[in-house]
Amino acid sequence: MSGYEEQYVKDAFDSNWIAPIGPNVDAFEKEVAEYVGARGAVALSSGTGAIHLALKLFNVGSGDVVFCSTFTFAASANPIIYQGATPIFIDSEPESWNMSPNALEHAFEDAEREGKLPKAVIVVNLYGQSSDMDIILGICKCYGVPVIEDAAESLGATYKGKASGTLGKYGVYSFNGNKIITTSGGGMLVSDDIEGLERVRFWASQSRDPAIHYQHSQIGYNYRLSNILAGVGRGQLKVLDERVAMRRTIFDRYRHALSNISGVLFMPEASFGISTHWLTTLTIDQQLCGVPVPNIIDALAKDNIESRPVWKPLHLQPLYSRCSYYPHSSESISGKIFESGICLPSGSSMSENDQARVIQIIRKCLLGRMQAAM
Ligand SMILES: *Cc1c(COP(=O)(O)O)cnc(C)c1O
């Protein structure tokens, strides 16, 4: 917490707006929309819910197909299944680790040949970095297919000066506890399509028709954000820029200390934008370093430091193993990153001393072993 949250939460208590509507919700929507430069925003109970209702706006339903980045968290694709549709997974490219325009083009060519274009494309901006949106939007426009930008991990990042999450028709942010700013749980859908956002607001509020007697003509959802949590979000938004700066500093320190070790490659920052470096991620080549990633995770864990592998690509998940997948080239980039990738502790409040401990253990793992082999 930043310290700014308590006043907004107190306002909610004082005014007795303990509900999924209220002044904090309205203000939080307005403030996020202003921050990212979108015309409007709808606060929701999760990023997952925001993806779900964005798919509903495109009328995605049973028998439909949706393209989705494979290198992501399961929540990017699960709403496709909620709607009874089928995902087709698209690989990453090496420059940004995000959606490969190459793979996307191939998927479209096949889809057109088979007469079954997707209803939408979900592009994920991973670990704080935007995808190459101009190229991706260009391809999607050629086929007349709209784009949902899953920017759950990239609030605060930019693409060619624009806020990540505002390039697609709809953008999704998450305020889950692990994200750069949090409401403990929550999400936001942003867009310039005010009419679409109003429909999302309606669906998220149980689709109550404008009648006093609780009348419903459509299926509804209970997807709104609490006015208390929106207060937390308002306080958090005030320190988003500071946090981006902190996460970038943390990334730079790791890079400075580790990138000269052969076989260590940090997630590249593509020239088209500025990454928040939500998480510092890197790959460690076992052939060159002589140490597999699980050994490093274990060595850190022995000192009570938590690190993790990168996201397991969705086309490799048991849940999605029967779905089609388009690799970047003859090589599957996301699969390769998964085999050698690691996420390091990256919290905005991590001290320099704590980071030095992480660095020391990793250097010992990697250099100790190499020196021993000589
Ligand atoms: C966190 C996350 C989501 C889901 O957001 P929730 O608010 O947790 O539902 C979706 N996509 C990605 C890439 C995420 O990291």
Side-chain angles (χ1 to χ4, degrees):
M1 293 291 99
S2 69
Y4 297 110
E5 297 85 359
E6 265 179 295
Q7 184 57 49
Y8 295 115
V9 172
K10 187 173 182 300
D11 290 346
F13 275 64
D14 290 348
S15 61
N16 212 21
W17 276 105
I18 312 300
I21 50 167
N24 279 333
V25 173
D26 295 344
F28 189 37
E29 289 176 345
K30 200 164 154 265
E31 286 158 8
V32 168
E34 265 166 23
Y35 180 90
V36 300
R39 283 187 62 208
V42 182
L44 296 164
S45 53
S46 70
T48 310
I51 298 170
H52 185 191
L53 296 185
L55 289 171
K56 239 178 107 65
L57 281 172
F58 293 134
N59 249 326
V60 170
S62 179
D64 289 333
V65 165
V66 175
F67 291 173
C68 181
S69 301
T70 193
F71 190 31
T72 183
F73 178 50
S76 301
N78 286 345
I80 301 170
I81 307 289
Y82 302 166
Q83 284 302 100
T86 305
I88 289 182
F89 293 110
I90 312 292
D91 198 11
S92 301
E93 40 94 354
E95 288 76 26
S96 69
W97 292 11
N98 285 317
M99 187 179 274
S100 157
N102 240 357
L104 179 65
E105 182 65 55
H106 283 145
F108 266 121
E109 282 163 13
D110 279 1
E112 185 164 65
R113 203 172 308 122
E114 287 157 22
K116 187 139 187 71
L117 285 175
K119 272 270 178 77
V121 176
I122 300 174
V123 179
V124 183
N125 300 328
L126 217 59
Y127 297 129
Q129 170 156 264
S130 176
S131 310
D132 195 349
M133 291 307 291
D134 277 353
I135 299 186
I136 289 167
L137 289 172
I139 295 169
C140 293
K141 199 173 170 194
C142 267
Y143 292 91
V145 175
V147 170
I148 298 167
E149 222 182 331
D150 177 354
E153 298 180 7
S154 66
L155 177 60
T158 59
Y159 177 79
K160 298 186 180 171
K162 289 186 189 149
S164 179
T166 60
L167 285 300
K169 174 99 184 178
Y170 301 108
V172 171
Y173 300 117
S174 165
F175 309 113
N176 191 51
N178 61 338
K179 301 303 198 284
I180 194 161
I181 63 168
T182 183
T183 59
S184 73
M188 189 85 72
L189 189 70
V190 298
S191 181
D192 289 339
D193 172 22
I194 298 298
E195 186 271 333
L197 292 179
E198 280 313 308
R199 287 162 70 208
V200 164
R201 210 183 295 281
F202 174 74
W203 292 327
S205 322
Q206 305 281 22
S207 297
R208 268 184 71 188
D209 291 342
I212 200 167
H213 48 266
Y214 287 87
Q215 175 168 298
H216 304 271
S217 345
Q218 292 183 54
I219 193 78
Y221 301 85
N222 183 4
Y223 273 2
R224 288 172 307 175
L225 184 68
S226 152
N227 189 58
I228 300 171
L229 299 185
V232 175
R234 293 182 71 191
Q236 291 267 294
L237 191 59
K238 286 194 188 298
V239 294
L240 174 55
D241 288 341
E242 264 169 53
R243 289 193 176 175
V244 171
M246 277 310 301
R247 303 241 175 178
R248 288 186 60 84
T249 302
I250 287 165
F251 180 89
D252 285 341
R253 271 195 220 122
Y254 277 131
R255 188 167 51 186
H256 185 74
L258 300 171
S259 65
N260 59 348
I261 302 172
S262 110
V264 171
L265 277 179
F266 279 72
M267 179 180 182
E269 183 166 14
S271 58
F272 50 62
I274 294 171
S275 169
T276 66
H277 292 301
W278 170 59
L279 294 185
T280 290
T281 55
L282 52 143
T283 54
I284 296 173
D285 185 324
Q286 195 184 331
Q287 308 291 49
L288 284 170
C289 297
V291 185
V293 162
N295 289 20
I296 297 167
I297 294 178
D298 287 348
L300 289 168
K302 278 206 187 85
D303 212 13
N304 201 24
I305 297 166
E306 190 183 22
S307 62
R308 304 240 180 110
V310 295
W311 297 126
K312 180 174 185 174
L314 297 186
H315 73 279
L316 298 176
Q317 297 285 354
L319 174 66
Y320 289 118
S321 60
R322 284 159 66 189
C323 296
S324 301
Y325 167 60
Y326 285 85
H328 173 68
S329 59
S330 56
E331 196 174 44
S332 170
I333 301 295
S334 59
K336 216 178 119 200
I337 297 170
F338 173 61
E339 280 168 17
S340 59
I342 180 170
C343 302
L344 298 181
S346 312
S348 314
S349 56
M350 183 165 59
S351 73
E352 222 167 309
N353 269 346
D354 281 347
Q355 194 176 357
R357 276 174 59 214
V358 180
I359 288 167
Q360 201 192 2
I361 291 166
I362 297 174
R363 283 186 68 88
K364 213 167 127 193
C365 274
L366 296 177
L367 297 172
R369 180 66 64 95
M370 271 163 69
Q371 275 155 10
M374 272 197 258

